[in-house]
Amino acid sequence: MNARRRVKVCAAWSALALLGCEGPLSTLTPAGQGAERIARMFWWMAGGTIVIWLAVVGLAVYAVFVAPKRHAGKAARRLIVVGGVAVPVVVLTGLLIYGLASLPPLMAPAPDGSLTVLVTGEQWWWRVRYRVPGHDPVELANEIVVPVGEPVEFHLDSHDVIHSFWIPSLGGKVDMIPGHRTRLTLEPTEIGVFRGVCAEYCGTSHAWMGFSVMVLAQEHFAHWLARQAEPARSPSEPLAIRGQESFIVNGCGACHTIRGTAAQGVVGPDLTHVGSRNTLAAGLLDNSPNAFWRWIAYTNELKPGVYMPAFGMLPSDDLQALAAYLESLQ
Ligand code: CUA
């Protein structure tokens, strides 16, 4: 490969690598105050390391190509002291002070009266609860909705293993530790749909533990929360009505709650408004009747190790009816 071609290939790969930093999981396109602070820190750190790298590589190039002869003792010492000691010490000390000063605001609690969202890491999904004044808490799964422009305090815990709660576009990550509640305050600055992930290996399906994060205008958020607080609507389509019967007969209510019905199980995700969610199975599938069908019939193939047993033995009519019922839970 000639030199020009090598430069082109290098540039193409660098462009591809940078493209990988875009999108709903990016830390470099921040949409929250914490993420903006972290991104700023990243760029300062990257700048500092480039300065040190240039100083050291510059010295090496000078020593090998520009002045390859033996240097006089004094000149050599000056090069080592300036390039090898002074520049790194000054740059790294500056970055250390800047980095330490940036940390406290990232860990500050939200002001009293802020919206609080309780999130519990489960294997392998996220239980999400909102406290609603004058109402039972509203529970949903794998979906977090928050208003733009105000701090939200997340209370994080886990039943079994350590998970790590991370919404890269909004802020830093915090571990969810069994028996110990941790907190994280995030303040979204942009409306949009982002993604969250588990950032700590927690078992077989750790990689299939995502969630969606919707940042809404404040009045839309209030409307969304009021809708979530309502009980499930009764199905009206014959297929969905049959699906509801199938849901009860097959004992799905032992693990799942559908508020407003006899299904009051607390082991699995609350399904009261599951048809309205962005994704199914913690970000694994799009939300569609076909996806419900696949999930119920092939649970373990799709997410190895999951607690929910597969119901692939049900007749396909029943699977279709169940899917229609769940999709109707808007
Ligand atoms: Cu939960 Cu990794």
Side-chain angles (χ1 to χ4, degrees), residues 25 119-126 142 157-158 160-168 173-176 195-203 205-212 282 303:
L25 263 176
V119 186
T120 304
E122 306 272 354
Q123 281 181 318
W124 289 273
W125 57 282
W126 310 84
N142 307 317
D157 62 11
S158 166
D160 33 43
V161 296
I162 296 179
H163 304 272
S164 183
F165 178 85
W166 192 24
I167 309 169
K173 64 181 90 145
V174 169
D175 278 2
M176 310 170 103
R195 280 203 62 197
V197 290
C198 179
E200 173 87 32
Y201 181 73
C202 54
S205 281
H206 153 75
W208 303 120
M209 190 171 170
F211 57 101
S212 76
K303 189 178 279 200

Side-chain angles (χ1 to χ4, degrees), residues 58-227:
L59 280 179
V61 168
Y62 176 76
V64 174
F65 296 107
V66 181
K69 61 188 184 315
R70 244 186 120 197
H71 297 279
K74 207 171 164 195
R77 224 172 300 133
R78 197 168 54 225
L79 280 178
I80 291 170
V81 169
V82 172
V85 180
V87 172
V89 165
V90 169
V91 175
L92 291 178
T93 307
L95 289 178
L96 180 68
I97 293 169
Y98 169 67
L100 290 177
S102 298
L103 290 181
L106 289 174
M107 296 183 290
D112 285 346
S114 299
L115 174 69
T116 304
V117 184
L118 293 84
V119 186
T120 304
E122 306 272 354
Q123 281 181 318
W124 289 273
W125 57 282
W126 310 84
R127 190 187 296 274
V128 179
R129 274 161 298 164
Y130 289 78
R131 289 207 192 98
V132 184
H135 198 281
D136 290 338
V138 167
E139 182 170 320
L140 63 155
N142 307 317
E143 192 150 290
I144 289 172
V145 178
V146 286
V148 72
E150 63 177 77
V152 180
E153 187 162 285
F154 289 91
H155 290 196
L156 309 166
D157 62 11
S158 166
H159 287 318
D160 33 43
V161 296
I162 296 179
H163 304 272
S164 183
F165 178 85
W166 192 24
I167 309 169
S169 305
L170 299 192
K173 64 181 90 145
V174 169
D175 278 2
M176 310 170 103
I177 302 160
H180 174 75
R181 178 167 286 187
T182 48
R183 286 157 204 260
L184 172 68
T185 302
L186 297 175
E187 185 169 341
T189 51
E190 278 175 40
I191 289 173
V193 180
F194 307 97
R195 280 203 62 197
V197 290
C198 179
E200 173 87 32
Y201 181 73
C202 54
T204 320
S205 281
H206 153 75
W208 303 120
M209 190 171 170
F211 57 101
S212 76
V213 183
M214 273 189 289
V215 179
L216 303 179
Q218 298 187 353
E219 64 275 19
H220 292 160
F221 171 76
H223 181 247
W224 173 85
L225 190 56
R227 276 281 290 119

